[in-house]
Amino acid sequence: MFVIAILTILLALAFTFTNGFQDASSIAATFIASRSASPRAGIILVAGMSLLGAVFGGSAVAFTMVGLISIQPGAGELIVLFVALVTATTWNIITWKFGLPSSSTHSLIGGLIGGSIVAAGISSIAWGFAELAGPEPELVGFMKILVFFVLSAIIGFAGSFVLHKTTDFLMRNMERRQNRKIVTLNWCTAALMAFFNGANDPQKQMGMIAMVLVAAGFAATPEVPLWTRYACAALMALGTISGGWRIMNTLGRRIFRIEPVHSFDSQFFSAASIALSTVAGAPVSSTHVITMSVLGVGAADNPRRVQWRVGREIIIAMAITIPVTMLIAGMLFLFISPLVGS
């Protein structure tokens, strides 16, 4: 099991890298497509702020991931973590190949749930239904993830829609040179979005590594070691710099033509949504949030100019991520578990 533990930690770090070019690239999409920044400058800003977010973003999201599954010793927890990461990393690469801004977060959650159900049954998942229906309702486990997934998407779409209608009204008599001020604001909102994304996304991998350390007997309680935080922060930034151009093209150009004001409205509510989720300790998908915000801005600007077919493809990818990765992880557990004697 020592070997499985080391491989799982290495895979978690590799997944953080793919998370960089999958999720973080979505942040730079509207910023660069609106010509508010050159590709090089935009990516460097996003990578740098994501790194800072990962270092200073706390651990609330990591502990939500830790509490999602509960498997008795000997039931194959290490293998569950391993197959979840294999599944999520593979899903990241496949969706990146097709330029689909899918969710690294939900592929990892789907992998954890699918593997855990096969390993230890449905009761191994902290669904959160009982806590929500109790005398003092509390959002925990899968229900917390699900509720914030829906809320973050609604806030992203509706908030961006209303904000763009408002800015469009306020700017109706302004001269085009005012775009320079908006470009400056875009640097601020992109930096905030990248920071909060860095504060939220790498914590999922930190939580996975904390679970591996406990399952392998390297730690008594699930804590996030300092080396894990720094490693995940660095790999997230490197992943952002090294890839993600296909996804940037999908979000930045294929849905509708984005101008600086569109980028600002989209980034503003995306940052607010992810910041709220991070404070609440909810692992949300920045890709989904910013995709919905781009659709919201496009709908507010001119629904006829929006390529709804592309938006529909993205939403379908969102909807199928968790069930498909659950299925893949479950099958992988059945295949791998006998090989390692668990």
Side-chain angles (χ1 to χ4, degrees):
M1 284 299 161
F2 175 80
V3 174
I4 293 292
I6 298 301
L7 286 175
T8 306
I9 290 172
L10 292 175
L11 192 54
L13 296 175
F15 178 73
T16 307
F17 181 83
T18 67
N19 202 9
F21 66 68
Q22 173 66 270
D23 278 6
S25 60
S26 303
I27 300 166
T30 60
F31 184 44
I32 293 171
S34 66
R35 298 169 300 284
S36 296
S38 67
R40 181 185 296 273
I43 287 295
I44 289 174
L45 173 72
V46 169
M49 293 304 295
S50 293
L51 187 149
L52 291 175
V55 171
F56 298 108
S59 303
V61 174
F63 290 122
T64 296
M65 294 295 292
V66 168
L68 182 60
I69 64 171
S70 178
I71 301 177
Q72 295 300 317
E77 184 177 7
L78 270 177
I79 302 174
V80 169
L81 299 174
F82 179 75
V83 300
L85 284 162
V86 170
T87 300
T89 304
T90 303
W91 187 255
N92 268 3
I93 294 170
I94 291 172
T95 51
W96 166 77
K97 181 71 175 176
F98 288 97
L100 287 174
S102 179
S103 170
S104 299
T105 300
H106 295 136
S107 62
L108 185 57
I109 290 168
L112 276 174
I113 293 174
S116 296
I117 289 175
V118 173
I122 293 177
S123 62
S124 65
I125 310 300
W127 297 107
F129 297 132
E131 291 82 356
L132 191 61
E136 297 182 4
E138 182 183 7
L139 274 176
V140 296
F142 183 73
M143 279 303 299
K144 183 176 187 176
I145 294 167
L146 183 61
V147 167
F148 273 89
F149 163 60
V150 174
L151 280 178
S152 63
I154 291 173
I155 291 172
F157 183 90
S160 298
F161 182 94
V162 172
L163 181 60
H164 187 66
K165 284 291 188 184
T166 304
T167 54
D168 195 41
F169 175 77
L170 294 175
M171 295 178 61
R172 66 192 185 282
N173 296 321
M174 290 185 181
E175 297 179 5
R176 191 168 182 82
R177 67 171 179 267
Q178 295 298 324
N179 270 341
R180 294 178 183 174
K181 295 180 180 179
I182 298 173
V183 166
T184 301
L185 289 174
N186 277 344
W187 279 79
C188 299
T189 53
L192 283 173
M193 177 68 180
F195 179 87
F196 288 120
N197 175 69
N200 193 289
D201 267 2
Q203 283 198 50
K204 297 137 196 176
Q205 289 78 262
M206 296 177 199
M208 293 289 287
I209 293 174
M211 284 191 279
V212 171
L213 295 175
V214 172
F218 299 151
T221 57
E223 299 291 339
V224 177
L226 199 57
W227 68 263
T228 302
R229 184 174 301 280
Y230 288 145
C232 287
L235 287 166
M236 181 80 170
L238 287 173
T240 302
I241 290 171
S242 64
W245 301 106
R246 287 184 175 91
I247 295 163
M248 288 184 208
N249 183 60
T250 298
L251 280 176
R253 294 184 174 89
R254 289 182 60 201
I255 296 178
F256 75 102
R257 182 177 174 82
I258 292 178
E259 299 294 338
V261 67
H262 301 138
S263 178
F264 172 77
D265 293 340
S266 169
Q267 298 275 14
F268 182 87
F269 264 96
S270 295
S273 181
I274 294 177
L276 174 66
S277 300
T278 302
V279 170
V284 296
S285 168
S286 56
T287 302
H288 288 184
V289 172
I290 201 161
T291 297
M292 295 306 294
S293 71
V294 168
L295 289 171
V297 169
D301 189 70
N302 187 344
R304 295 180 180 178
R305 292 170 54 194
V306 177
Q307 298 296 319
W308 293 106
R309 178 186 59 80
V310 177
R312 184 171 65 250
E313 291 174 357
I314 295 170
I315 291 172
I316 289 172
M318 291 181 191
I320 68 171
T321 294
I322 289 181
V324 169
T325 50
M326 283 176 61
L327 182 62
I328 294 171
M331 291 189 296
L332 275 176
F333 183 89
L334 289 174
F335 175 75
I336 293 175
S337 183
L339 298 179
V340 297
S342 173

